[in-house]
Amino acid sequence: MTAAAGDRLIDGYALVVFDLDGVIYLIDRPIPGAVEALGALRAEGRSVAFATNNASRRSSEVADLLTGIGVPADPAEVLTSAAASAELLRDRLPAGAAVLVVGAEALRAEISAVGLTPVDRADAAPVAVVQGYGPQVGWVDLAEASVAIRAGATWVATNTDRTLPSGRGPLPGNGSLVAALRHALDRVPDVVVGKPEPALFTTAARRAGTGRTLVVGDRLDTDIEGARRAGLDSLLVLTGVSDVAELLGAPEQRRPTHVAADLAGLFDPTAVVRVPGTPQAGGWSAAAVDGAVELRGAGRPLDAVAVLCAVAWETGTGADVRPASPEAEQALAGFGLAT
């Protein structure tokens, strides 16, 4: 149910780790309320970090982008899957080793920065292939990677996000390109570095030292699952990819600790709920009826989400929800749930 008045979510944590796309910005435009929320955290002297699976920008470029949209950030606060992948390869390969890079220039730069040699052809005899998102990645890049991997090169994927958010809806992400290679090679990557693997989150928490860490994300399959794997609390915000329908059907490893419409939930106790709630709370009640979840009553829409999670997760009914009151019908419609 909704937190008690005066009990701010942010006050329970020493560090907040934010995903970027879908949480702070959409491509390169700030999500409404994000600049104000980060400004409030800075004003209170709170520790923040940013963790992104997007391997198309370096940490310094991400920090510059954040600063440019009104969220001042230091490169040291930014953890990217590109940098983490380069560091992993640095620790496994001899200095100067050739690495075939499939991705954006930022990924090549990270490989160079750790003392390895980026190449783009299989005939350069690379000992590893690192694959990350890049808007210009095409068939030729995948073909070279395929040849190199078949010749014995270690295959590292920066991340496996199926999609990335955009103003036109979800677009193919690095996971979709990895899937093409996986299908062609009939095998999976040797290593996946980014979320939902826990490394980005555990690194951020380790840098922060003592105190609890909260992960804020918009995707259940990367941000929330990654937080759970790292043993950290999480806040799902409904400003990006995952919606209430996906939340209700989420398996246990993808269930967040809290849900909010946006980052206002960090500060406003009435704008966030802990999930799952109970089958009856905040003026709402829910029960499994004929294989679906029936919602009745009236109250704050977010309280309805907590109530629905309690029943849907317990019974496995997922997003098959129907209203039993006019207020329930309105709440469900607001979350895009068919009634």
Side-chain angles (χ1 to χ4, degrees):
M1 61 187 298
T2 305
D7 185 16
R8 303 190 312 169
L9 180 61
I10 187 60
D11 292 330
Y13 299 93
L15 169 70
V16 184
V17 183
F18 293 93
D19 176 53
L20 293 175
D21 280 313
V23 175
I24 304 298
Y25 53 66
L26 189 62
I27 306 301
D28 57 1
R29 296 190 177 189
I31 287 174
V35 172
E36 293 78 6
L38 268 294
L41 290 174
R42 296 292 195 191
E44 293 185 11
R46 305 238 175 221
S47 295
V48 301
F50 306 95
T52 178
N53 271 0
N54 191 329
S56 66
R57 295 186 178 106
R58 302 190 71 184
S59 296
S60 57
E61 294 171 327
V62 173
D64 288 344
L65 172 60
L66 287 168
T67 300
I69 65 172
V71 181
D74 187 277
E77 295 175 321
V78 179
L79 299 97
T80 72
S81 63
S85 297
E87 291 174 10
L88 179 146
L89 288 169
R90 176 200 62 199
D91 295 341
R92 296 189 177 190
L93 302 177
V99 176
L100 194 153
V101 177
V102 178
E105 185 58 37
L107 185 54
R108 296 179 62 88
E110 294 289 5
I111 293 296
S112 294
V114 298
L116 300 173
T117 303
V119 300
D120 56 15
R121 294 187 58 82
D123 59 14
V127 294
V129 171
V130 61
Q131 182 178 6
Y133 169 74
Q136 305 306 319
V137 171
W139 183 89
V140 171
D141 305 290
L142 298 180
E144 293 298 319
S146 178
V147 172
I149 293 166
R150 283 202 168 99
T154 298
W155 180 17
V156 174
T158 62
N159 66 297
T160 52
D161 297 40
R162 292 182 300 105
T163 62
L164 53 84
S166 82
R168 296 185 294 162
L171 301 177
N174 192 52
S176 296
L177 297 172
V178 169
L181 263 187
R182 190 176 67 226
H183 185 68
L185 296 168
D186 194 25
R187 57 163 291 191
V188 299
D190 296 295
V191 181
V192 177
V193 175
K195 302 172 285 184
E197 298 302 318
L200 294 180
F201 294 141
T202 55
T203 297
R206 186 168 58 249
R207 289 181 183 178
T210 59
R212 299 171 68 203
T213 296
L214 177 69
V215 173
V216 182
D218 71 304
R219 298 185 69 125
L220 297 177
D221 61 342
T222 56
D223 307 318
I224 304 307
E225 183 174 343
R228 289 193 64 127
R229 290 193 192 184
L232 303 173
D233 286 354
S234 60
L235 168 65
L236 174 71
V237 290
L238 303 174
T239 51
V241 173
S242 293
D243 57 15
V244 172
E246 185 180 349
L247 175 67
L248 295 179
E252 185 173 356
Q253 70 271 21
R254 294 180 179 176
R255 295 173 183 173
T257 317
H258 310 275
V259 178
D262 52 37
L263 294 181
L266 291 171
F267 306 96
D268 182 356
T270 68
V272 62
V273 288
R274 188 178 180 94
V275 291
T278 60
Q280 185 171 348
W284 301 104
S285 65
V289 179
D290 297 329
V293 179
E294 190 172 88
L295 178 69
R296 65 178 63 248
R300 293 190 181 96
L302 272 179
D303 286 331
V305 171
V307 167
L308 289 170
C309 284
V311 177
W313 292 352
E314 177 66 26
T315 62
T317 48
D320 189 0
V321 181
R322 58 176 177 246
S325 68
E327 293 83 1
E329 183 173 11
Q330 183 177 3
L332 294 180
F335 290 121
L337 294 170
T339 61

